[in-house]
């Protein structure tokens, strides 16, 4: 895989010594964090041929295209964790049915949580928990996600935990928390009874267990790209697997691209000798695109909690390009018609990303385009993605680390509840991520003109078309 050479402040990051500090590199979207991380990984590979270097990335293109060697392991977090846990279990317990290493999927998880909830209710029928309307199945599922992501190992830790990121619904009564944790423990029991080892979130618990049982660290040098989208539990597990010496860990990220509301301090992660460096100059986007993205982020103040100090202001690109376009598409059929035109003229647009966050709308659009003979790509497998003939269609959750010549954000309207600050925070972050994937052209489709309040103050950075 041939890499673009580094420039300016990117070179200074690459030249940081690998034996002095564990570094956190903070940079705005488009500053080249992923590129620097790749160069750093290859540099470590050359300089430390006898040591195990692990590069964790959200970018499946990188993980699929970068040639791994005997001492450079490039994977997404879940691919890496699943392989390590599987190898450890089979080494200690012997070969077994490979299906046991599959994740408990979302449908099975929902069924098991309902079964766990019913069992706990039978054991605690007089609890006031069951009379509170806010404790829906979805609420319980989200709360157990939070427990898993934050490595809450026992009920006392949960009772004493500061619970942020819960929007307008809080769970403060210790008695209610005891019920939630009892449901969680019952859920874990049911996973074991199913013959499975983990779900998508708590695999990091298994990874940490492997790290703690290992006789020596399994990672000599660790690089994580887009660390802000890993959970606290993920990062703790990876830190425990890594040699505890200065210079062994380098994290790259952007708090403004954090989609999942995860907040924690570095002390909680067990990473010592940590220093922060920032990169600000935008290389990916045109001046027009980076100015719009920065303006939207700055004109929609949101609570970043303890991470507010880590939001890096971008220095806009000097590369000129066309103005972003805001286009009214009242119906799904209007979106399909416009995308069909783009799909028939891909040579004029280059690599083209279409962002549609609503799952049903995305399925409808893809089906309609395929019926018209427009080729689309909707999976994270880049091996069969043909940018010369396919529109890449996905949600913002799949975009971290990717970039395209043209980005079309279909359905950019704000559909969040204005009273829910956490939902609005996620929405603004998703807008920022989506817009900053564009290298040259940016088209924004909207349906409801009353849902564009987040663009207030940024009108000078885009043109309105009918």
């Amino acid at each position: 895989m041939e890499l673009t050479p580094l420039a300016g402040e990117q070179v200074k990051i690459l030249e940081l010594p690998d034996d002095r500090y564990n570094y956190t590199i903070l940079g705005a979207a488009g500053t080249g964090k992923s590129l620097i991380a790749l160069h750093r990984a290859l540099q470590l590979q050359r300089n430390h041929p006898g040591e195990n270097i692990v590069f964790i990335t959200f970018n499946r293109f990188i993980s699929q295209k970068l040639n791994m060697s005997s001492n450079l392991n490039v994977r997404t977090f879940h691919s890496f964790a699943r392989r390590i846990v599987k190898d450890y279990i089979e080494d200690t317990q012997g070969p077994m049915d490979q299906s046991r290493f599959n994740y408990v999927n979302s449908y099975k998880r929902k069924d098991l949580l309902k079964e766990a909830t019913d069992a706990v209710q039978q054991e605690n029928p007089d609890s006031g928990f069951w009379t509170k309307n806010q404790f829906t199945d979805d609420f319980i599922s989200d709360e157990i996600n939070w427990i898993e992501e934050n490595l809450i190992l026992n009920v006392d830790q949960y009772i004493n935990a500061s619970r942020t990121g819960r929007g307008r619904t809080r769970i403060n009564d210790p008695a209610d928390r005891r019920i939630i944790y009892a449901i969680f423990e019952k859920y874990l029991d049911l996973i074991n009874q199913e013959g499975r080892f983990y779900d998508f979130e708590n695999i990091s618990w298994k990874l940490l267990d492997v790290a703690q049982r290992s006789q020596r660290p399994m990672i000599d040098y660790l690089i994580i790209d887009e660390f802000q989208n890993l959970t606290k539990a993920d990062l703790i597990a990876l830190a425990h697997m890594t040699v505890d010496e200065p210079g062994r860990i380098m994290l790259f990220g952007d708090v403004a691209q954090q989609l999942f509301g995860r907040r924690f301090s570095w002390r909680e992660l067990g990473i010592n000798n940590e220093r922060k460096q920032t990169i600000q100059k935008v290389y990916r986007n045109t001046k027009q695109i980076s100015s719009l993205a920065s303006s939207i982020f700055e004109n929609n103040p949101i609570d970043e909690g303890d991470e507010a100090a880590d939001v890096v202001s971008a220095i806009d690109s000097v590369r000129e390009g066309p103005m972003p376009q805001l286009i009214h598409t009242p119906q799904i059929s209007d979106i399909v018609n416009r995308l069909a035109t783009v799909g028939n003229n891909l040579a004029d647009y280059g690599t083209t990303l279409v962002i549609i966050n609503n799952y049903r709308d995305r399925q409808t659009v893809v089906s309609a385009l395929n019926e018209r003979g427009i080729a689309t790509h909707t999976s994270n497998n880049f091996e069969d993605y043909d940018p010369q003939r396919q529109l890449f269609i996905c949600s913002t959750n799949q975009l971290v680390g990717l970039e395209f010549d043209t980005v079309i954000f279909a359905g950019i309207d704000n559909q969040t509840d204005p009273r829910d600050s956490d939902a609005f925070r996620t929405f603004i972050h998703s807008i920022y991520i989506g817009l900053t994937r564009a290298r040259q052209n940016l088209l924004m489709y909207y349906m409801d003109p009353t849902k564009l309040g987040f663009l207030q103050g940024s009108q000078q950075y885009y043109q309105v078309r009918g």
Side-chain angles (χ1 to χ4, degrees):
M1 181 178 181
E2 185 176 349
L3 298 184
T4 302
L6 300 180
E9 59 186 351
Q10 296 174 334
V11 177
K12 295 180 181 178
I13 299 298
L14 183 66
E15 292 175 346
L16 290 172
D18 60 21
D19 60 357
R20 191 170 301 172
Y21 300 110
N22 293 312
Y23 287 103
T24 302
I25 311 301
L26 299 169
T31 52
K33 297 182 298 299
S34 296
L35 180 63
I36 303 169
L38 278 168
H39 276 276
R40 183 71 167 196
L42 295 173
Q43 179 191 67
L44 290 171
Q45 179 192 31
R46 293 191 299 270
N47 295 344
H48 303 276
E51 300 191 270
N52 185 31
I53 299 147
V54 173
F55 181 19
I56 300 296
T57 175
F58 271 74
N59 189 324
R60 289 178 181 268
F61 178 80
I62 291 175
S63 66
Q64 292 171 9
K65 293 294 186 182
L66 188 65
N67 292 324
M68 288 187 282
S69 67
S70 58
N71 73 319
L72 176 58
N73 197 346
V74 184
R75 293 182 180 270
T76 62
F77 171 77
H78 284 89
S79 170
F80 175 77
R82 187 172 179 269
R83 184 180 65 83
I84 294 295
V85 171
K86 174 182 178 295
D87 288 350
Y88 176 81
I89 290 175
E90 292 199 317
D91 285 346
T92 56
Q93 300 180 26
M96 59 186 66
D97 184 349
Q98 296 302 294
S99 66
R100 297 189 65 187
F101 298 105
N102 294 335
Y103 294 108
V104 173
N105 64 38
S106 58
Y107 300 105
K108 189 64 177 178
R109 183 180 189 275
K110 184 177 181 180
D111 291 341
L112 293 180
L113 280 176
K114 183 65 170 67
E115 186 177 344
T117 302
D118 291 343
V120 172
Q121 185 171 11
Q122 288 181 2
E123 296 168 0
N124 302 271
D126 298 327
S127 171
F129 180 91
W130 315 111
T131 65
K132 299 178 181 179
N133 294 332
Q134 69 265 36
F135 296 148
T136 63
D137 290 344
D138 286 343
F139 178 97
I140 293 170
S141 177
D142 289 346
E143 193 68 11
I144 285 174
N145 260 356
W146 185 86
I147 289 170
E148 292 177 321
E149 291 175 356
N150 286 275
L151 203 68
I152 305 299
L153 297 174
N154 55 66
V155 67
D156 291 333
Q157 184 184 355
Y158 180 45
I159 288 172
N160 294 318
S162 174
R163 181 66 177 94
T164 59
R166 218 19 177 137
R168 291 176 288 124
T169 304
R170 304 286 179 182
I171 178 166
N172 297 318
D173 189 335
D176 291 336
R177 292 198 179 198
R178 290 187 184 279
I179 293 294
I180 290 283
Y181 207 85
I183 294 171
F184 173 57
E185 291 180 318
K186 181 66 70 175
Y187 168 66
L188 294 181
D189 288 341
L190 292 172
I191 288 179
N192 290 331
Q193 291 174 28
E194 288 285 322
R196 299 294 182 86
F197 293 107
Y198 40 69
D199 66 13
F200 197 73
E201 298 299 345
N202 67 31
I203 191 172
S204 52
W205 294 42
K206 295 293 184 182
L207 188 64
L208 178 60
D209 182 60
V210 171
Q212 292 171 335
R213 293 174 183 271
S214 179
Q215 295 182 353
R216 65 172 301 276
M218 304 174 75
I219 301 174
D220 293 303
Y221 289 93
L222 173 66
I223 296 174
I224 303 178
D225 189 24
E226 308 295 358
F227 72 87
Q228 74 277 355
N229 286 328
L230 289 178
T231 70
K232 176 181 171 181
D234 299 339
L235 291 166
I236 288 175
L238 290 169
H240 273 75
M241 296 185 71
T242 306
V243 173
D244 187 14
E245 293 177 359
R248 298 291 183 154
I249 298 176
M250 183 171 275
L251 311 181
F252 292 81
D254 178 10
V255 171
Q257 295 187 61
Q258 187 180 65
L259 276 175
F260 308 112
R262 295 158 178 166
R263 304 174 183 181
F264 40 76
S265 71
W266 298 116
R267 294 187 190 90
E268 295 178 88
L269 304 181
I271 299 177
N272 303 312
N273 301 296
E274 185 263 342
R275 294 291 185 274
K276 293 177 184 175
Q277 298 283 330
T278 60
I279 44 179
Q280 294 181 283
K281 185 175 180 181
V282 173
Y283 293 89
R284 175 195 302 150
N285 319 116
T286 63
K287 178 180 179 180
Q288 288 74 15
I289 292 169
S290 62
S291 296
L292 174 60
S294 296
S295 177
I296 291 173
F297 197 81
E298 292 165 3
N299 283 308
N300 291 276
I302 48 182
D303 178 18
E304 299 290 357
D306 294 336
E307 294 173 334
D310 290 339
V311 176
V312 178
S313 297
I315 297 176
D316 291 337
S317 171
V318 296
R319 182 166 61 86
E320 297 285 345
M323 286 284 283
Q325 306 287 308
L326 181 66
I327 302 169
H328 191 202
T329 51
Q331 306 292 333
I332 289 290
S333 58
D334 298 305
I335 294 175
V336 172
N337 288 337
R338 288 186 176 275
L339 292 180
T341 300
V342 173
N344 283 321
N345 297 276
L346 270 182
D348 297 333
Y349 292 89
T351 58
T352 300
L353 165 70
V354 180
I355 302 170
I356 307 177
N357 281 327
N358 183 285
Y359 176 78
R360 290 184 178 178
D361 289 349
R362 189 164 64 248
Q363 295 298 103
T364 299
V365 169
V366 168
S367 177
L369 288 173
N370 291 340
E371 287 178 2
R372 295 192 186 193
I374 304 298
T376 60
H377 184 89
T378 58
S379 78
N380 282 330
N381 181 5
F382 286 90
E383 295 294 337
D384 56 358
Y385 169 49
D386 183 354
Q388 295 184 337
R389 69 178 192 87
Q390 291 178 316
L391 296 173
F392 192 104
I393 302 180
C394 66
S395 71
T396 48
N397 288 349
Q398 301 167 270
L399 289 181
V400 176
L402 300 183
E403 58 184 70
F404 296 80
D405 296 325
T406 297
V407 168
I408 301 172
F409 206 131
I412 201 169
D413 326 39
N414 176 17
Q415 300 297 332
T416 64
D417 183 341
R419 299 169 297 175
D420 191 336
S421 60
D422 291 318
F424 184 68
R425 175 181 182 275
T426 298
F427 169 74
I428 291 299
H429 281 248
S430 72
I431 293 294
Y432 179 82
I433 292 171
L435 302 192
T436 55
R437 301 309 96 191
R439 285 192 288 256
Q440 185 70 17
N441 306 302
L442 176 61
L443 306 176
M444 302 173 290
Y445 297 169
Y446 72 96
M447 291 185 174
D448 187 347
T450 68
K451 302 291 186 181
L452 299 176
F454 66 95
L455 292 175
Q456 191 67 34
S458 302
Q459 294 92 329
Q460 68 269 39
Y461 298 113
Y462 61 85
Q463 293 176 340
V464 179
R465 288 169 49 190

